[in-house]
């Protein structure tokens, strides 16, 4: 399977949803949980755009994806860091993505998120 097909079929199901289930939302206000839900939905919508071609996927990851990270980080730095790190790690677990051009992009983004 090529990286684009992997993104199309697994970005939401494996990368985003898996990271979302592991977010600790205990003691978080409802307003924050609702905001996080909105961010998750917006990330899920990126799946279709990224599947167009590898360059578009790279643009989305370095643009809109990073923007969503910064929006969430403004509300809760630790949750944002954990959630987005896990999304990126989950993507790197997928061999087709890790070994493609996107693997390098994702590793750089992971470094950026973890330093934030």
């Amino acid at each position: 399977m090529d990286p684009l097909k992997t993104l199309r079929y697994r970005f939401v199901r494996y990368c985003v949803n898996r990271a979302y289930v592991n977010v600790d939302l205990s003691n978080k206000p409802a307003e924050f949980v609702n905001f996080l839900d909105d961010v998750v939905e917006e990330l899920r919508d990126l799946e279709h755009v990224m599947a167009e071609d590898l360059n578009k996927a790279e643009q989305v990851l370095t643009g809109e994806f990073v923007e969503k990270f910064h929006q969430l980080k403004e509300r809760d730095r630790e949750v944002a860091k954990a959630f987005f790190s896990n999304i990126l790690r989950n993507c790197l677990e997928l061999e087709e993505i890790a070994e493609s051009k996107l693997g390098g992009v994702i590793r750089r983004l992971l470094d950026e998120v973890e330093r934030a």
Side-chain angles (χ1 to χ4, degrees):
M1 192 180 277
D2 71 66
L4 290 176
K5 285 185 181 177
T6 301
L7 276 176
R8 186 172 328 132
Y9 296 112
R10 296 192 180 157
F11 179 73
V12 168
R13 292 160 199 78
Y14 190 81
C15 302
V16 176
N17 289 350
R18 189 170 173 219
Y20 183 54
V21 219
N22 293 315
V23 173
D24 181 12
L25 296 175
S26 58
N27 301 320
K28 298 295 179 191
E31 182 227 343
F32 176 77
V33 174
N34 290 335
F35 181 76
L36 178 61
D37 286 343
D38 291 343
V39 169
V40 169
E41 283 305 313
E42 291 165 6
L43 289 172
R44 288 174 176 152
D45 289 342
L46 296 178
E47 180 180 58
H48 303 292
V49 178
M50 286 194 293
E52 292 174 11
D53 65 55
L54 283 177
N55 291 330
K56 184 65 174 177
E58 183 177 348
Q59 288 174 347
V60 168
L61 286 170
T62 58
E64 295 163 75
F65 183 84
V66 171
E67 180 183 315
K68 297 299 172 201
F69 167 67
H70 289 295
Q71 288 174 356
L72 188 60
K73 188 176 87 168
E74 288 176 14
R75 301 273 182 115
D76 189 310
R77 183 176 179 271
E78 294 307 313
V79 168
K81 205 170 161 180
F83 177 55
F84 278 81
S85 291
N86 284 335
I87 291 173
L88 296 168
R89 280 192 186 96
N90 291 341
C91 286
L92 287 174
E93 287 180 9
L94 300 168
E95 186 177 326
E96 298 89 348
I97 292 175
E99 294 177 359
S100 74
K101 173 185 172 185
L102 288 177
V105 172
I106 291 171
R107 283 189 266 296
R108 285 192 306 274
L109 289 174
L110 183 57
D111 287 342
E112 181 181 322
V113 166
E114 289 181 342
R115 283 183 276 131

